[in-house]
Amino acid sequence: MLQYVCDSSPEVRQAAAYGLGVMAQYGGDNYRPFCTEALPLLVRVIQSVDSKTKENVNATENCISAVGKIMKFKPDCVNVEEVLPHWLSWLPLHEDKEEAVQTFSYLCDLIESNHPIVLGPNNTNLPKIFSIIAEGEMHEAIKHEDPCAKRLANVVRQVQTSGGLWTECIAHLSPEHQAAIQELLNSA
C-alpha cells in the first residue's frame, strides 16, 4: 500500500489510500510504523497540482480520509496538532460519499470535544467549518437520514443559540451556503 499510494494510476492510488485508512482504523499496534510512514506519502498525493481533477479526485479524497483516520485512530503516530490545520483546509469531501461520512464524523468528534485547533482561538474557525458543512450539504455528501447529518445540524444549532457567533458565521457564507445550512437544519 505504501508503494502504490503514489502510483501513476488514480484507481491504484485510491485503493492503496483506502487500504491505508483501513489499516489505521482496524490495524493493531504492528501497523503504527506504517501509519507514520504513510502520512507524507498521502500528503504528497493530496497536494499534487492535479489532485482535484476529475480523474484524480476520488484518490485524493481517499488520501484525505486516510489522513483523518490516522489522526483519529493512531494519533500517537503523527503530530496531530501540526497535521490537523492542513486536513481542515482539504475539506470537504464530496465525491466519495462513504469517505465523506467518515470525514464529517471525525470533524464532528473534534468540534463536539471543543478541539482548540479545529475551533481556533475564540472560535475563529467556525465560519470556515460552516462553509465546509454547507459545501457538504450542497454536494449531498451526507444523506439526511445518516446520523452524521444530525450531528452536523446539532453543531449548527448550538452555534445558532450563541447570537453574535451565529451572526458572524452566517455573514461569512454566500447566499447558496446559507441556503444549504438552512436545508440541513430543516431536514436533519
Side-chain angles (χ1 to χ4, degrees):
M1 288 183 286
L2 291 171
Q3 178 181 346
Y4 290 109
V5 76
C6 294
D7 194 82
S8 61
S9 167
E11 293 82 7
V12 172
R13 283 195 311 274
Q14 180 177 355
Y18 177 80
L20 291 168
V22 170
M23 181 177 68
Q25 186 171 357
Y26 298 107
D29 288 340
N30 294 341
Y31 288 96
R32 290 184 187 287
F34 300 108
C35 290
T36 303
E37 196 175 337
L39 186 69
L41 301 173
L42 293 164
V43 170
R44 184 181 338 156
V45 174
I46 294 163
Q47 293 181 339
S48 125
V49 176
D50 60 349
S51 67
K52 294 289 188 173
T53 62
K54 185 174 176 58
E55 68 179 11
N56 292 321
V57 70
N58 285 318
T60 301
E61 289 193 356
N62 271 263
C63 288
I64 295 167
S65 180
V67 170
K69 289 175 184 176
I70 291 170
M71 289 189 299
K72 179 176 181 171
F73 297 107
K74 301 283 189 278
D76 55 326
C77 295
V78 296
N79 182 343
V80 174
E81 276 66 37
E82 184 180 307
V83 177
L84 198 50
H86 297 285
W87 181 78
L88 283 171
S89 75
W90 301 326
L91 300 181
L93 307 187
H94 47 73
E95 292 298 320
D96 189 317
K97 307 301 186 206
E98 289 178 29
E99 297 307 316
V101 170
Q102 296 269 338
T103 301
F104 273 114
S105 181
Y106 181 46
L107 180 62
C108 285
D109 293 345
L110 295 165
I111 295 167
E112 291 164 357
S113 69
N114 292 312
H115 196 288
I117 291 177
V118 173
L119 296 178
N122 298 316
N123 296 312
T124 53
N125 290 345
L126 275 176
K128 167 68 174 153
I129 291 169
F130 268 47
S131 178
I132 291 168
I133 293 170
E135 284 283 323
E137 174 67 22
M138 289 170 62
H139 289 96
E140 299 175 356
I142 296 177
K143 294 181 172 73
H144 290 149
E145 59 274 7
D146 191 290
C148 187
K150 293 184 186 341
R151 289 176 72 196
L152 289 167
N154 287 337
V155 164
V156 172
R157 286 185 187 105
Q158 189 173 6
V159 174
Q160 209 172 19
T161 63
S162 70
L165 187 55
W166 168 255
T167 305
E168 183 181 339
C169 287
I170 292 300
H172 282 83
L173 298 178
S174 70
E176 295 81 15
H177 282 161
Q178 289 178 21
I181 292 289
Q182 193 57 54
E183 174 64 26
L184 175 67
L185 291 173
N186 291 342
S187 57

